[in-house]
Amino acid sequence: LHAASTNLAVKVRPLYVLLGTGGGYAGYKQYESYKDSRLEKLGIEIPPKLAQTWEVALYKTVPTRLLSRAWGRLNQVELPTWLRKPVYSLYIWTFGVNMKEAAVEDLHQYRNLSEFFRRKLKPQARPVCDSHSVISPSDGKILHFGRVKNCEVEQVKGVTYSLESFLGPQTWTENQLQKTSFQDQLVTQDGNELYHCVIYLAPGDYHCFHSPTDWNVHHRRHFPGSLMSVNPGVAKWIKELFCYNERVVLTGGWKHGFFSLTAVGATNVGSIQIYFDRDLQTNSPRYSKGSYNDLSYITNNNQDGIVMRKGDQLGEFNLG
Amino acid sequence: STIVLIFEAPKDFNFNLKPGQKIHFGEAVGSL
């Protein structure tokens, strides 16, 4: 009995240590966020607390791509009809989905969660604004917007990432060697500025995206990458998050010069589909992190690329 | 998931947005 109890103590102790340190760390983080929210309520601006290098490295060791693909497979399993309503109702309740604007309101019609996630909207649910030249391509929350300064873009206020790392080297147009910075290389007309806007799509949001303006898409660049969460809390915590994650960058031109739209994937929403690009395959094990794959939509027979009108359907995010 | 728009525009381009606001597809982001 004594020997057995000694063995048990040896076996259990590391678990206690792990639980104790993990719980302590989580508690400390909770206390920090509570303290910050109190200060914010008092109107005191708090500089973002960025993750340490080791924290980012640790997060990167989590097999997010594998988890995402497993999640995707699970959600492609056809649910029995009797189970559909309770499963989707739980999702609707958890993430505040407005089913009244869905093209198909009957929950039994969606064979699995993946299909439900890709649901379309009623045609009249989202009127496209005529009076503004740039519209929102999707439903979501505005994380940040403004001018691009010093080749740095902000994922949330005060947390930046490199424009060049995000878009990759500028090879899709004639190289402009006389221009010094990457930012200047993108600006085609004198007196123009470079602007950016970041829209976060929450799990309950409509996850298709549309053309934000009248433009011609000339080039696609697919960056296979990690699939870390991109929720605003993580975007505030991990610098360069959008440069680590899997993404599809569409670049081209509009009436004022350079225009680009980038779809950034996340753990649950790992794959991105572009309707006019059947060759694009995202969150696929055949691509390794850190590389990128280019495709030009400009050919000898088509010098305009893909012509998109404001509000046209462009693509969608998928589960896993 | 996230959508990032990066584009060139004249200096008088104005955003019709507030940080943290909820937006729907089709609503104005900005114009000249």
Side-chain angles (χ1 to χ4, degrees):
Chain A
L1 190 66
H2 176 72
S5 67
T6 312
N7 273 344
L8 188 67
V10 169
K11 277 179 195 165
V12 165
R13 214 167 282 150
L15 183 67
Y16 284 167
V17 172
L18 199 67
L19 284 174
T21 48
Y25 182 73
Y28 169 71
K29 283 282 174 195
Q30 281 295 316
Y31 170 70
E32 290 261 290
S33 67
Y34 166 76
K35 210 169 66 175
D36 290 349
S37 67
R38 295 258 312 182
L39 289 172
E40 267 173 8
K41 273 181 195 165
L42 294 170
I44 299 165
E45 201 171 310
I46 306 144
K49 288 191 182 82
L50 296 175
Q52 304 288 316
T53 316
W54 70 267
E55 287 174 310
V56 178
L58 191 67
Y59 194 178
K60 276 183 171 178
T61 61
V62 178
T64 49
R65 300 178 80 197
L66 196 68
L67 288 171
S68 181
R69 286 197 285 270
W71 175 242
R73 287 279 172 89
L74 181 71
N75 285 306
Q76 278 166 13
V77 174
E78 190 169 329
L79 295 175
T81 315
W82 60 269
L83 195 59
R84 292 176 189 175
K85 200 171 178 186
V87 169
Y88 306 146
S89 296
L90 180 66
Y91 190 94
I92 289 165
W93 177 76
T94 309
F95 298 113
V97 179
N98 181 2
M99 280 308 288
K100 287 201 173 138
E101 57 192 21
V104 178
E105 287 188 56
D106 180 10
L107 297 178
H108 294 106
Q109 300 295 316
Y110 299 99
R111 285 174 298 177
N112 50 46
L113 192 62
S114 204
E115 213 171 87
F116 176 75
F117 188 77
R118 293 194 308 267
R119 71 196 173 276
K120 306 287 182 204
L121 297 179
K122 287 175 182 144
Q124 68 277 16
R126 297 283 184 273
V128 172
C129 176
D130 286 329
S131 56
H132 289 76
S133 49
V134 183
I135 56 154
S136 177
S138 64
D139 286 8
K141 182 181 178 181
I142 301 293
L143 288 194
H144 203 64
F145 61 91
R147 278 188 190 181
V148 176
K149 292 172 191 163
N150 305 321
C151 297
E152 294 267 306
V153 196
E154 285 177 286
Q155 53 199 39
V156 294
K157 199 179 175 203
V159 182
T160 59
Y161 57 96
S162 153
L163 185 63
E164 190 165 4
S165 303
F166 182 66
L167 298 178
Q170 205 245 39
T171 53
W172 54 82
T173 59
E174 287 168 24
N175 211 357
Q176 299 174 10
L177 290 172
Q178 70 275 19
K179 295 198 172 176
T180 50
S181 73
F182 184 78
Q183 185 177 333
D184 290 343
Q185 284 175 29
L186 297 178
V187 178
T188 59
Q189 294 169 30
D190 287 340
N192 277 4
E193 294 279 346
L194 209 57
Y195 298 88
H196 75 111
C197 178
V198 186
I199 304 160
Y200 166 70
L201 286 74
D205 287 332
Y206 165 63
H207 262 73
C208 298
F209 49 91
H210 299 244
S211 176
T213 191
D214 296 334
W215 66 307
N216 290 27
V217 190
H218 296 155
H219 187 270
R220 174 260 282 170
R221 180 167 282 165
H222 166 219
F223 290 85
S226 298
L227 283 169
M228 295 190 261
S229 168
V230 291
N231 87 50
V234 179
K236 211 186 263 188
W237 185 53
I238 297 182
K239 189 178 159 68
E240 302 255 330
L241 173 69
F242 295 165
C243 297
Y244 299 138
N245 268 20
E246 179 122 3
R247 62 197 181 279
V248 175
V249 180
L250 298 177
T251 52
W254 73 317
K255 60 184 172 180
H256 300 297
F258 174 79
F259 199 93
S260 75
L261 179 147
T262 304
V264 185
T267 320
N268 293 332
V269 191
S271 51
I272 299 155
Q273 194 185 339
I274 303 292
Y275 296 140
F276 55 74
D277 191 336
R278 297 283 167 207
D279 296 333
L280 177 67
Q281 265 200 313
T282 57
N283 198 8
S284 164
R286 70 180 171 136
Y287 296 119
S288 54
K289 286 194 233 173
S291 59
Y292 61 79
N293 314 295
D294 282 354
L295 180 76
S296 176
Y297 300 123
I298 294 180
T299 59
N300 288 334
N301 300 330
N302 176 17
Q303 292 294 309
D304 293 332
I306 309 290
V307 180
M308 296 300 298
R309 293 281 155 254
K310 194 165 74 171
D312 284 354
Q313 291 196 351
L314 187 52
E316 65 188 31
F317 290 99
N318 289 177
L319 287 178
Chain B
S1 35
T2 300
I3 300 272
V4 181
L5 303 179
I6 298 174
F7 55 93
E8 172 185 355
K11 282 181 177 165
D12 51 351
F13 184 87
N14 286 310
F15 283 97
N16 277 55
L17 303 171
K18 286 177 186 164
Q21 83 166 74
K22 183 85 188 152
I23 197 164
H24 292 114
F25 150 58
E27 289 176 358
V29 163
S31 63
L32 294 160

